[in-house]
Each structure stands twice: as structure tokens, then as C-alpha cells.
Amino acid sequence: ALGELHQTPGVHMVHHQLLRAMHRRRPDMVIAMEMFERDVQDVLTQYLEGVIDEDEFRAHSRPWPHYARDYRPVIEFAKQNQLKVLAANAPRPLARQAAQEGLHAVLGSEHLARSTTSPRDDYWDSFQEMMSGHGGMFGADGMERFYAAQCLKDDTMAESIVDHLVSIPADSRPLAVLICGRAHSDHGWGAVQRVVQRMP
């Protein structure tokens, strides 16, 4: 996983260099990105395959702020090298709904992980510390719901990666590289931990 501090040009630049270096060693690569959500996978694939142009792609894929600077180099690198890119994340409206109303309100959507857990572990402790001051934003039990929504994103990204890998024979599976916010990958927690759980 390439965990990033969002909107930090130096970090993105290093990630772009790392991606190129890894590709030289492992040209059989798939890139998964937090920055694109599962429901835009078709649009992303159509762009990578040259079916639609960049304007149409950007109009329908909900790119993150500073896309041109931070993430376009990744997408263009993938396009030039005919690499698959996974729109791995949970759609923002569903994650927001989970944080506001609870997981029961969204589970079962085809764009979310089929299963998710939110254990009270070191990740939970770290999350509470990171979000201190924001716990009341969704009222009573807001921190728990917000954490569950975070874990839902982790599980959705992990499932996106693992579903792709298991669809390929074990002896020819590509190197999977996840680009995500560092909160989803630091210490091997978050999405990284959930990939390992699904695919030891």
C-alpha cells in the first residue's frame, strides 16, 4: 500500500516514482485506488481502454480535488502501460449514510463489501485519537458509527482487491498496489489488514 497524506505534492511525486520503479520490476501490476469509487469502475475502465475521452471520464468519475496534479499521473501511467485500475472505494454517499444512520442502512449494496467488521483494537484506539473533537458530529454513538463507516471503506477496498486477485490463476496473479490515505494503511491496519484477512 502507498499510504498518503492527501493533497501533499511531495508525497504524490514520490508515489509516482515508486509506481514506475515497481512496474519495472513487476510489469504485471494492478493498481487499486481509494480515490475512485466502485460505482464508477465501468467509466474508469472505458477510459483506460480508450472507449471514452478524458473529458467524459472526468465528467462521470467524480475525481478528487487536485486530480490533475495528484492522481492523473497514475491513471495516465496505467493507460500507457495497459494496467488495470480498480475503483476500489465505497461510494461517498453510502459511507456518509452509514456514518449517520448505521451500517444497517446501507449493507447489501453491490458497491459495498459483502461483509465488514469494526473490532475494538489498536486501529479503533488510533481512530478515536485521530478523530478526537469530531465524535459528536453525528450525535449519540457518533464515533462508533463513524468508525464503522471507516471500516466499511477498508473492507470495500480490500474486497475489491481480493475479488480481482482470486479471479486470476494463483501462478499468474499481478502485484496489487493500493493507493490510499495513510489512515487506511499505517501500521498494516485498515485496508491492508483486511486484505490479509481475506487472502492470508
Side-chain angles (χ1 to χ4, degrees):
L2 298 179
E4 66 178 40
L5 197 58
H6 299 316
Q7 298 184 30
T8 308
V11 170
H12 297 295
M13 199 176 304
V14 170
H15 282 181
H16 302 156
Q17 292 167 354
L18 282 170
L19 204 58
R20 289 193 291 272
M22 285 189 288
H23 183 257
R24 283 194 293 272
R25 290 184 174 213
R26 286 289 302 273
D28 55 331
M29 175 187 284
V30 60
I31 302 169
M33 298 183 72
E34 176 193 4
M35 298 78 203
F36 292 100
E37 297 156 16
R38 273 191 179 182
D39 59 327
V40 304
Q41 181 67 64
D42 287 348
V43 176
L44 176 53
T45 301
Q46 287 170 4
Y47 175 64
L48 292 171
E49 293 178 353
V51 175
I52 60 175
D53 65 18
E54 187 173 17
D55 287 343
E56 188 173 351
F57 163 61
R58 291 179 69 165
H60 294 98
S61 62
R62 302 189 303 273
W64 276 25
H66 304 289
Y67 169 79
R69 180 191 70 194
D70 298 342
Y71 306 112
R72 186 178 185 272
V74 176
I75 296 298
E76 295 305 311
F77 177 79
K79 188 175 186 186
Q80 289 160 12
N81 291 282
Q82 299 180 309
L83 301 179
K84 173 91 173 172
V85 179
L86 304 177
N89 204 4
R92 276 165 281 190
L94 294 177
R96 192 178 310 114
Q97 188 179 359
Q100 292 171 337
E101 301 172 29
L103 288 174
H104 66 276
V106 298
L107 285 181
S109 165
E110 65 178 316
H111 300 306
L112 297 175
R114 294 181 291 276
S115 64
T116 184
T117 59
S118 28
R120 299 300 191 261
D121 54 12
D122 290 341
Y123 188 44
W124 161 244
D125 294 339
S126 173
F127 183 82
Q128 287 186 96
E129 189 177 322
M130 181 176 63
M131 298 305 296
S132 61
H134 299 282
M137 64 191 299
F138 294 128
D141 303 322
M143 184 68 81
E144 286 81 359
R145 291 196 309 277
F146 205 47
Y147 176 61
Q150 170 87 354
C151 292
L152 178 62
K153 292 178 183 179
D154 291 327
D155 274 311
T156 300
M157 287 188 272
E159 184 184 273
S160 299
I161 293 165
V162 171
D163 280 358
H164 178 71
L165 291 178
V166 299
S167 73
I168 299 167
D171 60 353
S172 55
R173 284 179 185 149
L175 172 68
V177 179
L178 171 63
I179 299 174
C180 61
R182 54 175 290 195
H184 295 287
S185 61
D186 273 7
H187 311 291
W189 297 338
V192 174
Q193 182 180 36
R194 288 149 197 270
V195 167
V196 174
Q197 288 169 347
R198 284 168 166 78
M199 200 173 187

